[in-house]
Amino acid sequence: MKGKGNTLIVGLTWGDEAKGKIVDLLAAEHDIVVRYNGGNNAGHTVAFGGQTYKLHLVPSGIFHKSTTCVIGGGVVVDPKVLLEEISRHEAVAPRLRQRLLVSSRAHAIWPWHRKIEELSEKHQGKGKIGTTLRGIGPAYADKANRVHAIRLGEFLRPEHLRKKVERIVENRNQAFVKLFGEPGLDAAAVWREYAAYGEAIRPMIADTTAYLLAALDKGQRILFEGAQGTLLDIDHGTYPYVTSSSASAAGAWPGSGVPARAIGEILGVVKAYTTRVGEGPFPTELKDALGDQIRQQGHEYGTTTGRPRRCGWLDTFAIRYSARLNGIDGIAITLLDVLGGLPELKICTGYTVDGKALAEFPDDPAALEQARPVLEDLDPWTEDVSGVRKFKDLPRAARAYVKRVEEIIGAPVRLISVGPDREQTIRRR
Ligand code: IMP
């Protein structure tokens, strides 16, 4: 079977599930790691050998020297960030420039994307989305709109691209000046800067779809890396408080260019509690001292923006929805160690609106806004579990917590992470 040996990693909540660690861990068992959605709005953390590395755009498999890393066509690429990230990690990720391929179909993020997003968020006031301000949404909007979009493959034709950039800047400046009363961009300066980036990334630009299809034919193993999480998916998430890409498993097919049936096993990642950054409904949010304690113990501050993350109880009602939507085969639970020492422990098993239990996770943001969590008490534990490597060695209450999650979600917990380092992992068959 074609999909055999391939694995997809997807977040089941609102991102920040520590997928970076899981991708790094499983990259050792795959030949290729492919990022299929989002851009440098993501923040993936990988830790080993006493060092911590933060990644935003390059796949989290870069630290394995024989792994090929692919940025798929579904990703939006800020060329400046790509080059900075390569330079920052090259010393620990040997031959990275030779092992990294960037899809010619991926769209580029330009200064006008960041500027328009900044102005739009500012002018929205209370109605803002709370984006990462990396230009992600405007770049995807241009992709859908087609007229002013630029794919990375166009960097291979600099003269064509120079003229196109001039045309686009002229058009965008009208909006900046006339609508927002802001100064426009200098097309020549933008081109000078980006032409240099284009030269530097040129050797990495490739038809990655053809590359991945050939890899499948050769029986190579592919790991698909989803960024953000299912509840931030443009179609299936808590719209409009979502990102602008397909952040569920559904994005892997268009975002990488391989057939859906090749995708293989799907592993859904959840934190042992739930967090969210930015605006939008979050039924299990703890706006009290307990929420602050989880934030402190879990160091819950955004990898990309540094914003404090909103923290709450594990929302298994939302996760069950995501798990079914993605068709997961197994679960990875991360940051289980963070729950140790909490005075109480609860999980959310359902929602009520006006006292009535909901049958399904709401498709309507207004209903989600009103939803009250149905909470179940579980026994807390006080022990530090960060040194545990076998499931049987976890405290009884921690084992019961994991088993309860499996029971509600209806999928086996395959991996448990008890700390940021690669080694701090419990594997279950
Ligand atoms: P954007 O992706 O920058 O457009 O932001 C849209 C929403 O998605 C905001 O609420 C962001 O905080 C959230 N978001 C985007 N990327 C991530 C991520 O990697 N982790 C968590 N939240 C994210």
Side-chain angles (χ1 to χ4, degrees):
M1 192 181 75
K2 261 192 163 180
K4 200 164 182 306
N6 301 330
T7 313
L8 185 148
I9 305 296
V10 65
L12 298 184
T13 58
W14 286 284
D16 305 319
E17 296 95 350
K19 297 178 294 294
K21 162 173 173 166
I22 306 296
V23 171
D24 167 69
L25 197 71
L26 297 186
E29 298 156 21
H30 294 79
D31 301 293
I32 299 167
V33 180
V34 52
R35 258 282 304 261
Y36 63 79
N37 76 298
N40 59 310
N41 48 349
H44 295 153
T45 306
V46 175
F48 58 90
Q51 298 293 324
T52 299
Y53 306 95
K54 302 213 182 280
L55 308 172
H56 300 282
L57 185 55
V58 297
S60 303
I62 60 165
F63 300 109
H64 296 269
K65 61 181 189 302
S66 54
T67 305
T68 302
C69 292
V70 173
I71 296 181
V75 175
V76 284
V77 177
D78 186 324
K80 182 180 182 187
V81 172
L82 176 64
L83 290 165
E84 280 170 0
E85 211 158 281
I86 294 170
S87 305
R88 196 170 327 124
H89 299 299
E90 239 164 356
V92 251
R95 294 177 50 258
L96 182 55
R97 281 170 209 261
Q98 288 80 52
R99 294 189 284 118
L100 182 63
L101 299 177
V102 192
S103 174
S104 50
R105 293 178 175 87
H107 283 249
I109 300 179
W110 292 82
W112 51 86
H113 293 130
R114 285 190 299 273
K115 191 170 162 95
I116 197 80
E117 183 171 13
E118 200 182 296
L119 292 170
S120 152
E121 283 282 277
K122 199 164 86 190
H123 285 255
Q124 288 302 322
K126 275 195 151 207
K128 68 178 184 177
I129 304 287
T131 72
T132 59
L133 299 176
R134 299 299 188 263
I136 308 290
Y140 277 116
D142 272 347
K143 171 179 174 174
N145 207 23
R146 290 146 297 160
V147 182
H148 293 131
I150 296 174
R151 305 212 295 185
L152 290 192
E154 291 178 80
F155 277 104
L156 304 178
R157 292 182 285 136
E159 198 39 37
H160 143 85
L161 188 54
R162 184 183 62 78
K163 290 189 196 134
K164 191 165 174 181
V165 167
E166 273 170 17
R167 231 179 339 109
I168 296 174
V169 170
E170 193 185 326
N171 172 280
R172 291 302 140 112
N173 280 352
Q174 292 195 16
F176 293 140
V177 177
K178 291 188 187 149
L179 288 181
F180 294 105
E182 289 277 324
L185 295 165
D186 174 351
V190 171
W191 175 244
R192 261 196 311 281
E193 184 184 349
Y194 279 71
Y197 300 149
E199 274 310 299
I201 61 173
R202 176 184 267 270
M204 292 176 268
I205 299 174
D207 180 350
T208 55
T209 302
Y211 176 82
L212 292 172
L213 293 175
L216 285 177
D217 290 341
K218 284 186 258 177
Q220 291 190 309
R221 298 185 63 178
I222 304 176
L223 182 63
F224 298 88
E225 177 178 18
Q228 289 83 48
T230 305
L231 300 178
L232 287 173
D233 183 282
I234 180 88
D235 294 298
H236 306 290
T238 53
Y239 196 90
Y241 298 103
V242 292
T243 190
S244 38
S245 72
S246 297
S248 64
W253 180 4
S256 64
V258 307
R261 62 189 299 189
I263 282 167
E265 181 160 311
I266 302 180
L267 191 63
V269 188
V270 292
K271 261 198 283 229
Y273 46 95
T274 300
T275 64
R276 163 157 221 179
V277 238
E279 308 302 317
F282 179 10
T284 64
E285 182 171 12
L286 289 163
K287 294 181 182 165
D288 55 12
L290 210 49
D292 293 340
Q293 187 177 349
I294 296 175
R295 185 175 310 106
Q296 292 313 322
Q297 291 186 191
H299 310 290
E300 291 294 350
Y301 296 89
T303 313
T304 301
T305 59
R307 291 179 290 180
R309 294 181 186 139
R310 300 155 66 191
C311 299
W313 297 124
L314 185 72
D315 188 343
T316 62
F317 192 60
I319 294 167
R320 210 175 114 74
Y321 160 74
S322 302
R324 289 167 66 215
L325 180 83
N326 288 305
I328 63 164
D329 299 289
I331 306 171
I333 297 188
T334 60
L335 291 113
L336 188 71
D337 52 307
V338 172
L339 294 183
L342 292 185
E344 53 178 323
L345 196 53
K346 296 180 198 287
I347 54 173
C348 164
T349 56
Y351 296 159
T352 58
V353 171
D354 296 331
K356 289 199 194 79
L358 297 188
E360 295 289 344
F361 185 75
D363 57 349
D364 169 14
L368 194 58
E369 206 68 77
Q370 289 164 21
R372 296 285 161 267
V374 178
L375 296 172
E376 182 175 303
D377 277 299
L378 292 174
D379 290 336
W381 63 90
T382 51
E383 294 91 329
D384 172 9
V385 300
S386 62
V388 177
R389 299 292 175 265
K390 290 198 176 118
F391 186 70
K392 68 174 178 47
D393 296 334
L394 283 173
R396 188 198 52 78
R399 291 200 308 272
Y401 190 81
V402 171
K403 286 184 177 161
R404 186 71 184 117
V405 173
E406 283 184 322
E407 191 176 59
I408 298 172
I409 309 301
V413 171
R414 299 267 185 231
L415 285 174
I416 302 168
S417 172
V418 291
D421 200 274
R422 266 180 199 164
E423 305 298 319
Q424 292 175 292
T425 310
I426 298 170
R427 288 217 183 206
R428 290 173 85 214
R429 288 284 144 217

